[in-house]
């Protein structure tokens, strides 16, 4: 079968950089030539791989899946080429995590891991696709769910607290009773394990027949929507720690119900734990979680803390 290798390598460059112009500069071709190669690959595959967003591009769901499947293989080719040329090979650590955890919690901390491990190159694959470790070359995943995956090493990342939040311009902290929440526009990530009906149940309140809702398929969009003053979001302290710390979000509800869950899990095949790069990364995660918990206790006053 014919493989459009040139188009595949161009797609890899664009997906990695998030920009057609940056990829064109890297490949020493024109942006028009890059766009033509992307169109040729999309025609070959019969699906759209990316869309324009502002001055950059964003991968479609199909594009994310395709990139996750080819990225490490192309990186291996690059490493092999550098090795043959006599350049120092690097060890690649491939981590998969949900888009929200990747952008809201992991990415702001990643520099410390990179600084401490200069011989490791990290590929962070931000996607909701569950890893098939039998066919995908992912080293370790931070997986969203309930922690029930037989045959895999599974360790909860941390306990998370779920409570309503909004921008301080929308409503001040501790400014409303639990019963007042139903009168507001309610923001929700459809993939969150704690939804508004459950929150109303825990609050012993009958929700309105028709809630005014705004639904997103990513938690980071729900967090950003609340910070932008759209309404009240029900989210995890893990995903919105920075907004809470910096004052971009507050809990407007006095004495909300105490709801806690572990929704993020460190997952990998047991034999991956023997890889030094995996054990080093997991140890680093444990330290970062402990530091985050200490910071949360010191700087973030949860609405049900004394």
């Amino acid at each position: 079968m014919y493989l459009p290798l040139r188009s595949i390598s161009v797609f890899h460059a664009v997906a990695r950089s998030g920009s057609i112009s940056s990829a064109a500069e890297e490949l020493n071709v024109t942006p028009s030539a890059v766009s033509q190669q992307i169109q040729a690959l999309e025609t070959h595959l019969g699906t759209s791989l990316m869309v324009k967003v502002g001055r950059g591009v964003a991968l479609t769901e199909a594009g994310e899946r395709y990139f996750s499947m080819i990225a490490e293989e192309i990186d291996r080719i690059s490493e092999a080429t550098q090795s043959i040329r006599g350049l120092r090979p690097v060890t690649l650590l491939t981590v998969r995590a949900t888009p929200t955890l990747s952008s809201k919690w992991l990415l702001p901390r990643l520099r410390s891991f990179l600084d401490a491990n200069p011989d490791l190159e990290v590929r962070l694959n931000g996607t909701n696709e569950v890893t098939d470790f039998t066919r995908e070359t992912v080293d370790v995943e931070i997986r969203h769910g309930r922690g029930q995956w037989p045959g895999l090493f599974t360790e909860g990342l941390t306990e998370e607290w779920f409570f309503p939040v909004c921008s301080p311009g929308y409503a001040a902290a501790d400014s409303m009773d639990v019963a007042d929440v139903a009168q507001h526009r309610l923001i929700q990530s459809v993939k969150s394990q704690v939804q508004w009906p459950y929150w109303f149940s825990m609050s012993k309140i009958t929700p309105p027949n028709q809630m005014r809702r705004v639904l997103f398929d990513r938690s980071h969009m729900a967090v950003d929507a609340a910070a932008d003053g759209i309404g009240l979001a029900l989210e995890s302290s893990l995903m919105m720690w920075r907004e809470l710390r910096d004052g971009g979000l507050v809990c407007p509800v006095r004495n909300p119900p105490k709801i806690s869950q572990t929704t993020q899990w460190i997952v990998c095949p047991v034999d991956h734990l023997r890889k030094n790069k995996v054990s080093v990364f997991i140890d680093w995660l444990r330290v970062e979680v402990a530091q985050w918990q200490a910071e949360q206790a010191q700087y973030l006053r949860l609405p049900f803390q004394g």
Side-chain angles (χ1 to χ4, degrees), residues 154-284:
T154 303
E155 178 179 317
L157 188 65
T158 185
E159 182 181 42
E160 306 162 54
W161 295 94
F162 289 80
F163 50 89
V165 293
C166 65
S167 72
Y170 182 90
D174 302 326
S175 63
M176 63 179 71
D177 293 324
V178 171
D180 297 331
V181 170
Q183 303 172 16
H184 293 266
R185 184 183 295 115
L186 303 179
I187 301 167
Q188 183 70 64
S189 166
V190 296
K191 296 178 180 178
S192 174
Q193 288 177 213
V194 179
Q195 299 285 330
W196 278 111
Y198 178 74
W199 188 88
F200 281 114
S201 174
M202 292 294 291
S203 302
K204 296 180 173 55
I205 293 175
T206 301
N209 292 330
Q210 289 186 329
M211 291 188 288
R212 291 188 297 150
R213 299 187 302 168
V214 184
L215 304 176
F216 297 98
D217 65 349
R218 298 285 190 271
S219 287
H220 66 83
M221 298 171 70
V223 171
D224 292 343
D228 285 339
I230 290 179
L232 304 181
L234 179 62
E235 269 303 332
S236 156
S237 56
L238 186 70
M239 303 304 182
M240 55 186 179
W241 67 274
R242 187 157 51 181
E243 287 82 2
L244 290 168
R245 182 198 65 185
D246 296 343
L249 289 175
V250 297
C251 179
V253 182
R254 292 184 291 270
N255 301 315
K258 298 180 181 180
I259 301 175
S260 66
Q261 289 190 19
T262 298
T263 72
Q264 304 292 328
W265 302 81
I266 304 169
V267 176
C268 69
V270 175
D271 61 355
H272 282 203
L273 299 175
R274 294 196 293 267
K275 299 179 181 180
N276 182 66
K277 61 181 179 179
V278 172
S279 62
V280 166
F281 181 72
I282 292 176
D283 287 344
W284 172 80

Side-chain angles (χ1 to χ4, degrees), residues 71-139:
E72 188 164 352
E73 300 306 321
I74 292 181
D75 287 336
R76 284 180 175 178
I77 294 172
S78 177
E79 288 180 26
T81 303
Q82 291 179 354
S83 179
I84 292 298
R85 293 177 59 198
L87 299 178
R88 178 182 66 84
V90 297
T91 299
L92 178 66
L93 172 70
T94 302
V95 178
R96 176 170 289 180
T98 62
T100 297
L101 185 76
S102 296
S103 63
K104 290 291 188 181
W105 194 87
L106 193 54
L107 187 58
R109 293 168 166 79
L110 193 58
R111 178 179 175 180
S112 69
F113 179 78
L114 297 174
D115 289 345
N117 299 276
D119 292 333
L120 286 181
E121 185 175 81
V122 175
R123 172 170 296 285
L124 178 56
N125 184 353
T127 177
N128 285 310
E129 295 288 333
V130 173
T131 303
D132 181 352
F133 287 102
T134 63
R135 77 175 177 85
E136 295 182 85
T137 51
V138 173
D139 293 304

Side-chain angles (χ1 to χ4, degrees), residues 3-20:
L3 288 177
L5 297 178
R6 176 60 177 169
S7 296
I8 292 172
S9 66
V10 170
F11 167 75
H12 177 265
V14 176
R16 191 181 64 247
S17 65
S19 166
I20 288 178

